[in-house]
Structures are given as C-alpha cells and as structure tokens.
Amino acid sequence: MEKSYLQLEKAAVGYAGKALISGIEIGVKKGEIVTLAGPNGSGKSTILKSITRQLALVGGDVLLDGRPLAAYSPQELAKKMAVVLTAGMRPELMTCRDVAAMGRYPYTGRLGILSGEDERKVDAALQMVNAGHLAERPYGEVSDGERQRILLARAICQEPEIIVLDEPTSFLDIRHKLDLLSILQRMAREQGITVVMSLHEIDLAMKISDRVICVKGASIYACGTPEEVLRDETIRDLYNLESASYDALTGSVEMAAPAGQPQILVLSSCGRGIPVYRRLQRQGKPFAAGVVYTNDLDYPAAVRLSAHVITAEPFAPVSDAVYSEAMEWVEKCGRVIDAGLVTEGGNRRLADLLQRAEELGKLESTAGKVWTV
C-alpha cells in the first residue's frame, strides 16, 4: 500500500489551545489532489493553517514525508511546501515579478540575490499562470484575481512537493478558475506535486479532486472520492440546504420549486425544458413537467423545480398509464408550453398532447422566439 506523503494523526486544530475540530485522521498520497469542502466557518482554513504551521496544533501530529512537521526548519519546510492563503499581501513598491520571485528565496543565499537560473524559473512560473504580461505591473495595482495568479506563480517558484491553497478560485472569473485548476492538475499528474486546498465550488471540487474531505462541526463529516462523498443527501446536510437542492449527477444547484397547485404544463425532451423550468421558478409559478424519460437531460431539473413530473421509463414506448396521466394534465392546466417535445419513434403518440392543447387554445411554443412567461 502506498504510504501517505502528508499524514494527520489524531490531530486537533483550533485557537488559543481550544480545539475546534478533533480526531482528524487523514493521509494524503504523493501527487494526490485533496479538497476540503464545507460551509463558511466550518474550520477548513483552520485545518490548512495547522498543516502549514501558521497555527500550532492543539493535539496530535502532522507528518510530512514521514517527519513531524515541527522537525522542519523554516527553510527546509519552504523547499517542501508552498502556501497560497486568502490573507492578502500588501507589499509596497513591488512589481508582480518581485512578488513571484520571492518563491526563489529558499534557494538563494542570505543576500537573496537571484541567479540567472532563478530569473528563468520566475519567468517560467509567470508564463505558466498566464501572467507574464503582468510582470512589471505594481502588485498593489492589479486586480484580486490577478494577485491570486501571481501568488500561485510564487508558489510554483518554490519548486515544492506539496502546495496548500485556501480558496484559490474565490476572486477569479470562470476562465481563470479553470486555468488555475488545470495548472494544479497538470502539476499533480506530471510532476507528482501534492495539492491540498479548500474550495467553495462543489462542481469544481467534483471534477478535479481525487478525494474530498467534508468539514462540519467538531469532526470530519465525510471523506472519500467525489463519487462517494458528493451525493445529494450529503451536500444537503453539510450545507443545511432548505431553499435549494444539489444534483450530484450534474454538479448543479437548483433553487426550491415554487409552492402551489400547477396551472402550467411544460412538455419537453432532450434538455430543452430546463430554461423554461428555471424561468418559471424565478417567477414563482408552480408547474408540471412531462413527459420526461428518467434518463433525459430534463429529468434532474424537472424533479427539483416542478411541482409534479410525469415520467416514463427509457428505451420503451410511452405506456397507456403515462399517456393518460399526461392527457389529464393537458386538460386541467390553463396553459401548456411546448419547450421542444420530441414526438417521433416511441414518442409518436405524444403528438396527441400537443394537438389536444392546441384544440383547447392552451398551447404555447418556445421554439424560434424569445419567450416570456
């Protein structure tokens, strides 16, 4: 069995000698990406600060590459571990390149003079995070997102074996979130660098993490692969979701369905109903959805956003029972919206629903026009 590169043994973390989270038993392997998830104030940052020796452990131990963390000198630890935390730096009169170059200081002499090789490594790190064009800009004048990339460049300059990051995507737009996580993934896969970080974006944690550690209360709530941990019920309990729901299959969060008796029926297939569902939800209008196969793209959103879903089993013609149920909803709803219902093959008889709705003067279509509720 592969041994852990970072090991927490019965660790207790907290402040002023008082434990907030106790009994932490976590092993992180070389080249593994491990993400801490949990609500604000749950203790994610406290764990990370304890791993990076910014906070003293209240109890237990942390081992890095088989040695107690306390046994490393500051310079030894700086060559092993790089840290990117949310606390902002405010260096005066320093360029972005100067800040990134700070990552080379563990390898320079007491005078901190960079060699030609050090300079090349700083340039390479800036290019790796797509920040070469920021090199000569004053660090204090760039955006929060750009600062985050510069701090990652500084960490890369340290040539660490492990990088610890606290909410590294917080100030980034979607493109730079994905760029940053892609860089971390490449470093883990190609260079064997271990990554431990906290993320608020559960969908991104699901996609990049080898393991996810959920933090809540006085102990670790759950730990395992994303598939094991990031389930609907786990996320609902972890974040106390009452006005929204999480779909583990798609990694998306939906707001709560509007309350009340549906007066609108949305007929759709192949994911075409989702924009209509969300628009009705935003306007607080309860609706029924159908006829939706349980393997259709519309199904997860329909279950979460509609007051009632008319479902059908996949890979089979629509049954008499499902057909009758759908026709009943056509009759009793005041409006029927065709969001793109497929009426071919086994769905051919669903054309009757559209025809009946049209006969009743209830049918509306979202195809080919800007639709308003």
Side-chain angles (χ1 to χ4, degrees):
M1 184 177 178
E2 185 181 356
K3 72 173 186 177
S4 297
Y5 178 71
L6 176 71
Q7 181 72 44
L8 279 71
E9 298 182 341
K10 298 180 180 178
V13 301
Y15 296 87
K18 182 179 179 180
L20 298 179
I21 306 173
S22 303
I24 305 174
E25 292 278 351
I26 299 171
V28 181
K29 300 181 179 66
K30 190 82 170 174
E32 192 173 27
I33 298 177
V34 175
T35 299
L36 300 180
N40 289 332
S42 61
K44 302 185 298 296
S45 296
T46 305
I47 293 174
L48 295 180
K49 288 178 180 178
S50 300
I51 289 173
T52 59
R53 218 163 63 177
Q54 296 189 22
L55 279 179
L57 288 168
V58 177
D61 209 348
V62 176
L63 304 179
L64 181 63
D65 201 14
R67 290 177 60 192
L69 201 62
Y72 286 90
S73 69
Q75 188 173 25
E76 285 178 320
L77 189 60
K79 291 180 179 180
K80 286 275 192 182
M81 178 187 290
V83 182
V84 180
L85 298 181
T86 51
M89 289 178 53
R90 291 293 182 269
E92 298 294 333
L93 304 177
M94 292 182 71
T95 65
C96 291
R97 193 177 193 284
D98 294 334
V99 173
M102 292 168 63
R104 295 305 302 164
Y105 289 167
Y107 301 93
T108 64
R110 291 184 179 179
L111 297 178
I113 299 174
L114 301 182
S115 67
E117 180 64 18
D118 291 325
E119 298 281 5
R120 285 189 289 274
K121 289 180 177 180
V122 173
D123 290 336
L126 287 169
Q127 292 299 328
M128 186 178 292
V129 299
N130 300 314
H133 64 290
L134 299 174
E136 302 309 320
R137 292 271 303 278
Y139 181 79
E141 295 181 7
V142 299
S143 70
D144 287 337
E146 289 169 332
R147 288 177 186 164
Q148 197 76 334
R149 287 151 61 195
I150 298 303
L151 294 180
L152 179 58
R154 183 188 67 176
I156 292 170
C157 283
Q158 287 180 236
E159 299 182 302
E161 295 180 11
I162 179 171
I163 295 183
V164 180
L165 308 100
D166 190 11
E167 300 178 18
T169 58
S170 292
F171 302 111
L172 302 182
D173 60 38
I174 185 61
R175 174 198 162 185
H176 291 107
K177 285 178 193 284
L178 296 175
D179 283 350
L180 183 145
L181 294 178
S182 295
I183 292 166
L184 294 175
Q185 190 175 60
R186 189 162 61 248
M187 293 171 70
R189 301 295 175 260
E190 296 177 3
Q191 301 174 45
I193 294 174
T194 304
V195 177
V196 179
M197 62 182 166
S198 62
L199 284 179
H200 278 305
E201 301 92 338
I202 296 299
D203 57 330
L204 296 180
M206 174 187 289
K207 294 173 176 65
I208 192 174
S209 309
D210 295 306
R211 280 189 298 148
V212 176
I213 298 168
C214 297
V215 184
K216 180 182 182 182
S219 61
I220 299 300
Y221 179 77
C223 179
T225 66
E227 294 76 20
E228 293 169 337
V229 171
L230 299 180
R231 297 177 176 274
D232 300 15
E233 59 275 12
T234 304
I235 297 301
R236 185 169 55 250
D237 188 47
L238 181 65
Y239 290 96
N240 296 319
L241 295 182
E242 296 179 356
S243 59
S245 62
Y246 174 79
D247 177 40
L249 186 63
T250 62
S252 65
V253 177
E254 300 288 359
M255 301 299 289
Q261 181 65 27
Q263 296 300 315
I264 301 171
L265 172 62
V266 180
L267 299 172
S268 66
S269 306
C270 307
R272 300 185 187 112
I274 296 174
V276 180
Y277 302 161
R278 289 177 177 161
R279 191 172 301 187
L280 290 168
Q281 191 281 336
R282 288 197 299 271
Q283 301 206 0
K285 297 186 177 182
F287 64 94
V291 170
V292 182
Y293 286 99
T294 55
N295 65 342
D296 194 292
L297 287 173
D298 280 332
Y299 181 73
V303 168
R304 286 163 174 76
L305 295 175
S306 71
H308 179 80
V309 186
I310 307 161
T311 60
E313 292 302 314
F315 313 115
V318 171
S319 69
D320 291 342
V322 170
Y323 175 84
S324 297
E325 180 186 3
M327 190 60 79
E328 287 177 13
W329 279 96
V330 169
E331 297 284 346
K332 67 183 179 181
C333 283
R335 299 168 61 192
V336 177
I337 298 171
D338 176 14
L341 182 67
V342 174
T343 57
E344 300 173 358
N347 294 343
R348 190 172 293 112
R349 69 192 305 200
L350 295 183
D352 295 348
L353 303 177
L354 302 178
Q355 182 179 343
R356 181 57 178 158
E358 189 169 20
E359 291 171 353
L360 295 171
K362 301 178 179 181
L363 187 62
E364 304 171 26
S365 176
T366 65
K369 65 178 182 179
V370 177
W371 174 73
T372 57
V373 180

